[in-house]
Amino acid sequence: MAGDSRVLMDHNMEIGVTPAQVKKLPKHLREAQISTERTHLISDPAKKPRQRYVQKDGKCNVHHGNVQETYRYLSDLFTTLVDLRWRLSLFIFTLVYVVNWLFFGFLWWLIALIRGDLVHADEEGWTPCVENLNSFVSAFLFSIETETTIGYGYRVITEKCPEGIILLLVQAILGSIVNAMMVGCMFVKISQPKNRAETLMFSHNAVISVRDNKMCLMFRVGDLRNSHIVEASIRAKLIRSQQTKEGEFIPLNQTDINIGFDTGDDRLFLVSPLIISHEINEKSPFWEMTLAQMEKEEFEIVVILEGMVEATGMTCQARSSYLDTEVLWGYRFTPVLSLEKGFYEVDYNNFHDVYETNTPTCSAKELAAKLREGPLLPQLSLLSPEPKMHTFDTLNRLSKPDPLGQDEDREEGDSGGDRGETNGSAAALEEPHLADGLPG
């Protein structure tokens, strides 16, 4: 039996599975080596941080410079006004109205000046164009009253002023156009679905581990609101510089990452947090990438969640990204869903939490080759026994850092408590009666 365990350990080192912890280490020391912090990095801390293409909050870190044809922004003036910052939008909103009132106030004052109303306004029998208009200030006030349809009744236009009637029609029409454009811009800016994206969450890290005997890249998404995103869909892009066979260098080349487009898994029913999985197969850009290679690679994974806001019907898009240092190899996400009395509860305190699990350090290609040669690693088969259906009654037990920790604690009690908490495969290798049942 001891010989069988030694053979399995050699096989373990051959294909690159993380070796078991040393048996004689105290429990508290071995627990300290397994970090479940969301900031845990797989690479050397000395590695230089990479410049992000998309920020964590979804903002694209790209600035457009040396744009010569700036007139193109004026060809779509409405979108240009909507895209402005709030302080500029409010400034332009106020400026447009003030300039419009001043312009028409000047025209009313000019008509009064040409007709002589400013000079003969106090004479009896004189009919001015606008009654009680005797200065530029009064003309400006009349312009505001006309365009905003306040109508105080003190200043009124008379019927013996055709030029004033024409100006009144022009100001009413142009004022309606200005109102429609400026109020429309403010309404669209206020109701923009960008604010809805603030309540869509992405996990701080992505993880790589084995699922159903296949290497998978996973991250978690969630929605904090009770009003749901309708027709939600998700996609992912790999951003990495590339050099072609002809020697052409392509900076920030974008490659699609399949997260269920061909099977429909990219269509989400986002009522509770979901773990999005990308199967690393022959078409995946991570197919030949090992743990050692990933530590040296520089890339960024951009994830995009889209859907319609249920309350307004407007399309919403939320974005986030994961640098190569934010992809954790050999981890899984901690479950967050539990069954309470009459409802399901989501614990967002554990939304970003991960726990360590046994995962081969070899590439997915090498793992698939081992699968074709024979059964999957005996060590991993103990981690993933025959698939069992779990009801929501067991979710509380599954939400612990390692679901196999309970069996391990029992084994610690039998052995006098000298073994610390390890993963399932390490515990199996230490137990002779379990190792006997494994293929040599």
Side-chain angles (χ1 to χ4, degrees):
M1 289 187 287
D4 293 340
S5 299
R6 193 177 298 107
V7 170
L8 289 176
M9 182 63 72
D10 294 338
H11 182 61
N12 182 17
M13 298 300 292
E14 253 182 24
I15 50 82
V17 177
T18 306
Q21 299 288 344
V22 180
K23 179 178 178 181
K24 294 301 182 181
L25 280 178
K27 181 177 179 180
H28 68 280
L29 291 180
R30 276 179 282 165
E31 288 179 341
Q33 294 176 358
I34 301 178
S35 173
T36 58
E37 295 181 0
R38 65 190 65 170
T39 55
H40 177 73
L41 304 180
I42 63 172
S43 61
D44 189 351
K47 187 176 180 180
K48 293 183 179 180
R50 184 180 182 275
Q51 181 64 52
R52 284 188 179 274
Y53 189 62
V54 176
Q55 301 288 350
K56 275 293 189 182
D57 57 1
K59 295 180 180 179
C60 297
N61 195 20
V62 177
H63 298 272
H64 301 281
N66 298 325
V67 179
Q68 303 297 329
E69 300 175 346
T70 54
Y71 66 88
R72 294 180 180 271
Y73 294 106
L74 298 178
S75 62
D76 188 10
L77 183 60
F78 185 84
T79 304
T80 301
L81 293 175
V82 171
D83 289 340
L84 291 176
R85 295 172 179 254
W86 267 108
R87 54 177 177 267
L88 288 177
S89 296
L90 293 175
F91 174 75
I92 293 177
F93 183 85
T94 305
L95 182 64
V96 167
Y97 276 107
V98 171
V99 169
N100 187 49
W101 294 334
L102 286 173
F103 173 72
F104 282 101
F106 172 77
L107 293 182
W108 287 113
W109 176 82
L110 186 62
I111 289 176
L113 180 64
I114 294 175
R115 285 174 54 87
D117 294 343
L118 301 180
V119 179
H120 305 287
D122 297 333
E123 296 181 5
E124 294 184 4
W126 181 265
T127 304
C129 182
V130 179
E131 293 182 358
N132 300 314
L133 195 154
N134 49 24
S135 65
F136 178 78
V137 176
S138 60
F140 175 68
L141 293 175
F142 179 71
S143 173
I144 296 176
E145 295 174 21
T146 301
E147 191 162 327
T148 58
T149 64
I150 294 177
Y152 291 121
Y154 183 69
R155 299 179 183 86
V156 293
I157 189 172
T158 61
E159 67 276 5
K160 295 185 179 181
C161 182
E163 60 272 23
I165 296 175
I166 295 174
L167 181 59
L168 179 64
L169 294 175
V170 172
Q171 184 174 7
I173 294 172
L174 291 181
S176 299
I177 295 175
V178 170
N179 287 335
M181 187 169 184
M182 299 311 300
V183 174
C185 283
M186 298 302 293
F187 174 77
V188 172
K189 194 170 183 64
I190 292 173
S191 61
Q192 273 185 320
K194 291 181 180 179
N195 297 328
R196 179 63 177 87
E198 297 295 328
T199 53
L200 297 174
M201 294 179 61
F202 295 89
S203 58
H204 290 166
N205 296 99
V207 298
I208 292 179
S209 60
V210 177
R211 257 192 177 187
D212 296 328
N213 297 338
K214 297 177 182 178
M215 296 284 283
C216 294
L217 169 71
M218 294 169 284
F219 58 92
R220 183 147 59 188
V221 297
D223 187 2
L224 298 179
R225 287 191 180 274
N226 291 327
S227 59
H228 306 143
I229 295 295
V230 182
E231 293 292 332
S233 63
I234 193 164
R235 51 198 172 96
K237 294 277 188 179
L238 176 65
I239 310 297
R240 179 172 57 178
S241 300
Q242 179 184 353
Q243 188 168 7
T244 64
K245 296 179 180 179
E246 295 77 17
E248 178 187 6
F249 180 73
I250 305 176
L252 302 178
N253 182 55
Q254 299 184 14
T255 305
D256 277 328
I257 298 178
N258 186 2
I259 49 179
F261 176 78
D262 50 350
T263 60
D265 290 339
D266 61 330
R267 299 288 181 176
L268 308 179
F269 183 48
L270 196 58
V271 178
S272 61
L274 299 176
I275 296 177
I276 309 302
S277 177
H278 160 65
E279 180 184 327
I280 303 178
N281 52 25
E282 295 86 350
K283 298 181 180 179
S284 172
F286 305 103
W287 175 239
E288 299 180 352
M289 192 176 296
T290 64
L291 172 60
Q293 291 173 339
M294 181 169 288
E295 292 177 352
K296 300 176 183 178
E297 286 283 343
E298 291 187 356
F299 61 86
E300 183 175 354
I301 300 172
V302 178
V303 293
I304 305 168
L305 176 62
E306 294 177 320
M308 290 188 300
V309 181
E310 188 178 37
T312 63
M314 301 180 70
T315 303
C316 170
Q317 184 181 95
R319 297 180 294 266
S320 187
S321 70
Y322 302 99
L323 294 178
D324 51 280
T325 55
E326 295 171 339
V327 179
L328 309 182
W329 189 295
Y331 284 80
R332 291 177 184 164
F333 285 106
T334 304
V336 296
L337 196 62
S338 61
L339 177 62
E340 302 296 333
K341 292 183 179 179
F343 60 91
Y344 301 111
E345 183 177 8
V346 178
D347 184 8
Y348 280 99
N349 288 331
N350 298 330
F351 183 84
H352 303 285
D353 291 347
V354 295
Y355 65 91
E356 197 166 10
T357 181
N358 250 15
T359 303
T361 58
C362 62
S363 66
K365 181 179 180 181
E366 296 172 359
L367 181 60
K370 292 291 181 181
L371 276 171
R372 288 192 296 268
E373 293 175 2
L376 186 60
L377 317 177
Q379 296 84 357
L380 292 180
S381 66
L382 290 177
L383 273 178
S384 303
E386 289 297 324
K388 297 180 180 179
M389 296 299 294
H390 295 282
T391 63
F392 283 98
D393 295 333
T394 63
L395 283 175
N396 288 326
R397 295 195 298 272
L398 293 176
S399 62
K400 294 182 179 180
D402 192 343
L404 299 175
Q406 296 178 349
D407 297 334
E408 199 172 292
D409 291 336
R410 298 193 200 100
E411 292 170 3
E412 287 179 16
D414 296 338
S415 60
D418 61 338
R419 283 200 297 262
E421 187 175 344
T422 60
N423 53 40
S425 62
L429 289 174
E430 293 170 359
E431 291 294 331
H433 66 279
L434 288 178
D436 288 341
L438 297 176

